[in-house]
Amino acid sequence: MKKIAIIALALACTATPALAEDGVERWDGIYAGVNAGGSWIAGDMTGYTPYNSYNGFPVTDANDGSFAGGVQIGYNKQMGSFGLGAEASLNFTGLKKETTSSTPGTLFWRNSDFNATVGPRVTIATPSFAIYGKGGLAVGKFEVGHNQNGTLISSEETAYGYMLGAGVDVALGPKLSLGVQYEYQDYGQGNIHVPSASSDIFIAPNATIHNVKAVANYRF
């Protein structure tokens, strides 16, 4: 066991100088890559159905999770171990949940198959890895719907909110890196207008989205 530990230490010592030769500048410049992982949507919706006098009632049990994948592009400038930059990401999901947990007891649903983020990023780096935090704008597409007396009605809308995130990247060479990233997106309480032949309704998605993903980047 002692011999194994000594060998592992020796390998680490020989690998570290090789990475150190590139320095923190390896994190400079434009990068782009792909990501894959999981996405979760949370938050109780709020329904407004004036045609039957149900106003402002909660629609619960609308949370869902799905596989997610996408791409990202960014720029980073290292100043010693401290870096400043920006990152934009695009994610595709299969978030879709139907529920009858509401005061009227009828069917509602909330779907989201697309979200994107863009904003500044702050990095603390060594030659072998980088830890970062980011924030900015979140953009998501939501579809909401309702079974209105036997007729399914729905509408979709692009919503805007804010994003907070963090992650770590590990260098695999002078150009490649692999890491993990978490994003929190909050879209507030805006209403989506759902037109109907009988009586229009309004549904507030009240959505927060959580993305956890493995991230691979190539630096140009």
Side-chain angles (χ1 to χ4, degrees), residues 16-27 125-130 170-171 173:
T16 301
L19 286 172
E21 287 176 2
D22 292 321
V24 293
E25 293 79 12
R26 69 163 60 246
W27 304 107
T126 73
S128 55
F129 69 90
V170 177

Side-chain angles (χ1 to χ4, degrees), residues 45-208:
M45 295 190 293
T46 305
Y48 303 87
T49 56
Y51 71 92
N52 58 10
S53 301
Y54 286 114
N55 242 338
F57 57 88
V59 181
T60 61
D61 193 29
N63 298 350
D64 190 33
S66 79
F67 174 80
V71 295
Q72 67 278 339
I73 187 169
Y75 175 81
N76 187 59
K77 177 61 181 177
Q78 283 299 133
M79 295 161 283
S81 60
F82 179 76
L84 283 176
E87 182 175 280
S89 68
L90 177 65
N91 304 287
F92 298 94
T93 73
L95 297 169
K96 182 176 183 178
K97 184 64 180 291
E98 297 180 345
T99 177
T100 56
S101 300
S102 64
T103 300
T106 56
L107 178 68
F108 284 82
W109 67 86
R110 176 177 61 192
N111 305 341
S112 181
D113 57 12
F114 157 88
N115 61 78
T117 65
V118 62
R121 198 177 101 155
V122 176
T123 303
I124 302 296
T126 73
S128 55
F129 69 90
I131 300 173
Y132 59 88
K134 64 177 187 173
L137 176 68
V139 182
K141 188 177 79 173
F142 298 92
E143 180 195 37
V144 294
H146 171 52
N147 183 346
Q148 187 183 72
N149 298 326
T151 301
L152 299 180
I153 58 174
S154 66
S155 186
E156 64 179 30
E157 187 174 293
T158 299
Y160 300 88
Y162 70 88
M163 171 273 299
L164 297 173
V168 59
D169 285 335
V170 177
L172 299 181
K175 298 291 186 180
L176 292 174
S177 66
L178 185 65
V180 292
Q181 184 181 111
Y182 167 74
E183 285 181 346
Y184 169 82
Q185 303 172 19
D186 192 318
Y187 290 94
Q189 299 180 349
N191 292 329
I192 297 179
H193 178 203
V194 184
S196 165
S198 300
S199 176
D200 293 2
I201 69 170
F202 299 87
I203 303 174
N206 298 342
T208 61

